[in-house]
Amino acid sequence: MTQAILAGILITALLVQAVLPTRRLVVVSMGAGLAALASSLLGTGTAPELLAQVPWDVIVILVTLGLLSQLFVESRLFGVLALHATRLSHAGPRRILLLFAVGMYVVSGLVNNLTALLLVLPVLLILFKLMGVRQRYVTWTLALVLVSCNLGGAATPIGDFPAILLLGTGVMSFPDYLVRALPVTLVALAGVLGAAFLLVRPGSRLGQTPISATLTLSTMGALYRNVRVERRRLLPPLLLLGCMLAAWVAIPRETGVTPDLVAWLGAGGRSRSPGGWASGLCARASTWRQRCSCCPCS
């Protein structure tokens, strides 16, 4: 009965925050508070006991990576990368599929793949519209990009939540995870793309001509002519991410410098304005804490 009540509160909070995204923090806070209250009244556990079960080490890593992803977004990096991939492809259907799939695999292993995907998709959809491709090509390309995102996220210990959980809790070190996961995901990516190009061939019979390709590239260049990478916003998070990756790879956990401590130092290494980074860190940590407290499995 207790589990059913807590699960009901969690499901209700999830549904309400999905319907009211602008009130997400309030809804999650109320859901966490009600779950803690129900747990205390039903004798399952008090609020301090629930908070003691929260994996703070994992939350610190998640929050820091989320903030770094946000800084990359503000630098317009993903949109510019998508535009460069378009130019390198020369508006060729096969090249577009290959470049965007491989590109999203690489990006998804380092930052929030959902954020990167949402920023790259508009460029990709406009490109499809200008090329006049068939629905079959659009479907297969988007499907392969999504598969590449998932494989890229699984390739590194910071790509998705299960991998971060293994890293943060000390189940597996950064180098050990890379050795086990990176080759497997690369083989899987090569297999998926190979099967798509050899068996499915979504880019065949699209009727692209040099003139249409030139018009497509010219139009894309005109649409995004004012989009530039803001280097002042890009360089600090890029440097921090590089330092964090080097520390995760080179410093053993036995030294006391744990992955969450590296992430914590990384979060404190960049302060754009008084309280800017710190307030964002606190807000995200609060949100993750409330979600964890609201979870019935706590």
Side-chain angles (χ1 to χ4, degrees):
M1 183 62 180
T2 301
Q3 293 293 326
I5 294 174
L6 294 175
I9 295 173
L10 173 62
I11 293 172
T12 302
L14 290 174
L15 292 175
V16 174
Q17 65 89 26
V19 175
L20 302 172
T22 58
R23 298 287 185 268
R24 180 168 297 159
L25 184 58
V26 175
V27 173
V28 172
S29 299
M30 289 298 298
L34 290 174
L37 177 62
S39 179
S40 297
L41 294 177
L42 295 171
T44 303
T46 62
E49 292 172 343
L50 294 176
L51 292 175
Q53 302 300 318
V54 175
W56 295 107
D57 44 5
V58 176
I59 291 177
V60 169
I61 298 175
L62 282 170
V63 170
T64 302
L65 293 174
L67 290 172
L68 287 175
S69 297
Q70 184 60 36
L71 290 180
F72 285 130
V73 169
E74 293 174 1
S75 71
R76 301 179 180 178
L77 174 65
F78 300 122
V80 172
L81 287 177
L83 185 58
H84 281 304
T86 301
R87 290 171 178 166
L88 286 173
S89 70
H90 301 291
R94 291 186 179 88
R95 292 194 189 100
I96 288 173
L97 195 159
L98 179 63
L99 286 172
F100 275 88
V102 173
M104 291 308 299
Y105 171 87
V106 175
V107 169
S108 298
L110 299 174
V111 298
N112 187 318
N113 54 9
L114 179 59
T115 301
L117 186 62
L118 291 176
L119 292 169
V120 168
L121 275 181
V123 179
L124 197 55
L125 294 177
I126 292 174
L127 187 58
F128 291 158
K129 185 69 174 179
L130 293 173
M131 293 171 61
V133 295
R134 300 174 183 174
Q135 183 61 42
R136 178 175 179 270
Y137 176 79
V138 174
T139 301
W140 274 101
T141 301
L142 293 180
L144 289 171
V145 168
L146 289 173
V147 170
S148 300
C149 283
N150 284 319
L151 289 174
T156 69
I158 58 173
D160 55 17
F161 181 76
I164 294 174
L165 188 63
L166 292 175
L167 176 68
T169 55
V171 175
M172 193 174 293
S173 68
F174 200 102
D176 288 341
Y177 187 97
L178 281 180
V179 169
R180 288 171 171 80
L182 185 58
V184 175
T185 57
L186 282 173
V187 171
L189 178 66
V192 169
L193 292 179
F197 281 109
L198 295 176
L199 302 177
V200 180
R201 293 185 292 178
S204 62
R205 297 191 300 273
L206 289 181
Q208 289 293 107
T209 64
I211 294 177
S212 65
T214 301
L215 289 174
T216 297
L217 292 175
S218 299
T219 306
M220 289 293 293
L223 288 173
Y224 290 91
R225 63 182 179 274
N226 294 323
V227 178
R228 299 286 187 276
V229 173
E230 296 187 22
R231 295 183 180 181
R232 293 181 61 184
R233 291 181 179 270
L234 173 63
L235 292 179
L238 197 61
L239 179 62
L240 280 175
L241 181 60
C243 292
M244 288 166 58
L245 289 174
W248 281 329
V249 171
I251 302 177
R253 189 183 184 94
E254 291 74 18
T255 61
V257 183
T258 55
D260 55 304
L261 180 56
V262 172
W264 199 341
L265 293 173
R270 172 64 175 153
S271 179
R272 295 172 297 167
S273 60
W277 177 282
S279 61
L281 180 65
C282 292
R284 288 174 180 263
S286 176
T287 301
W288 276 102
R289 179 182 63 191
Q290 290 152 1
R291 288 178 181 175
C292 291
S293 300
C294 190
C295 181
C297 63
S298 299

